[in-house]
Amino acid sequence: MMNTRLKILNATKFTGSVTLLLGTLILLYGIVSGFNSVIGIGVGTVVGAIFIFLMGMFFIATEEMVENTFKGIEITPIKPNKVVYLKR
């Protein structure tokens, strides 16, 4: 199962870093050229890259927690006895 976590981690790192680099370049272009709308797009792209990275880390942590939880012993129900409960 470690292989799937490593794949998710690598995909998250690659996607997050490319998006962060693109967002930083867009942000710098907007600051240098003075276009306010381009600055907003750059900031949004940087925030999106951070969100992608955090969601990837959440998926990895969730998968590890599900894998490592104590499964316990399966409880088989006992045959019901012949007790009659009185209604009020």
Side-chain angles (χ1 to χ4, degrees):
M1 288 297 167
M2 184 65 177
N3 195 15
T4 58
R5 281 192 293 248
L6 192 60
K7 286 180 183 179
I8 293 173
L9 178 64
N10 286 336
T12 301
K13 283 192 314 188
F14 178 74
T15 306
S17 61
V18 168
T19 309
L20 183 65
L21 179 66
L22 185 66
T24 305
L25 291 175
I26 292 171
L27 181 65
L28 290 175
Y29 174 73
I31 291 172
V32 170
S33 65
F35 293 131
N36 289 334
S37 60
V38 176
I39 293 173
I41 292 172
V43 169
T45 308
V46 169
V47 171
I50 294 169
F51 182 72
I52 288 170
F53 182 74
L54 289 177
M55 286 304 294
M57 293 299 110
F58 175 74
F59 287 148
I60 292 171
T62 303
E63 182 181 358
E64 186 170 345
M65 289 302 293
V66 167
E67 182 180 311
N68 292 334
T69 53
F70 179 67
K71 301 299 184 212
I73 301 170
E74 184 178 343
I75 299 173
T76 56
I78 302 172
K79 286 180 159 181
N81 51 11
K82 304 280 185 188
V83 176
V84 178
Y85 294 100
L86 299 175
K87 293 183 181 178
R88 288 186 181 198

